[in-house]
Amino acid sequence: MSRLFLLRHAKASWADPGMRDFDRKLSQEGIEEAAAMGSALRHRGLVPNKIICSSALRARQTFDAMNNGHSDDWITRVDYDEKLYSTDAPGYLEVAAATHFSGDLMLIGHNPMLEDLAIGLGQNGNHEAYSQINMGFATAAVAILHFDGNFSDIQKAKWILDDYIRPRDI
């Protein structure tokens, strides 16, 4: 069994005049929600074996805040990929499939791609979680799905939505 954690970056500040969207930083609230989510995932035993994070600043800062101050140091498990900033929902699946990984994989990225992907894959399983995702994928929230097999078989996988955890739920 492999699990896919889809984590949306935490709350970001608005762009300063002339600033690229790619370079937007997290707000203080976003730093706090990302740190809380990292602690909550660890507390629940939901620690991915591998993490692929968008290279956009707010996604990298989300990862840093989730990892900050923890002894299990997710740093060794993260790769950064600009595709998670610029691609669509099927592109997120392509990034995951290219890992040929078997285990727990987290993608840290952006909306609307994460919401589209969670809605597209999560139709089976936790119906309450699915309803919540359909109302909007919150910042620093994570959808957790699983399927039998490894990520090279991702396109033909039968997905099950296990959970959707928002910062306000922890």
Side-chain angles (χ1 to χ4, degrees), residues 128-142:
E128 182 180 335
Y130 188 73
S131 293
Q132 291 173 354
I133 293 168
N134 271 294
M135 296 182 67
F137 205 110
T139 56
V142 62

Side-chain angles (χ1 to χ4, degrees), residues 150-162:
N150 67 44
F151 283 93
S152 60
D153 302 325
I154 205 168
Q155 300 293 344
K156 57 186 174 186
K158 181 179 179 197
W159 291 91
I160 306 295
L161 176 62
D162 295 327

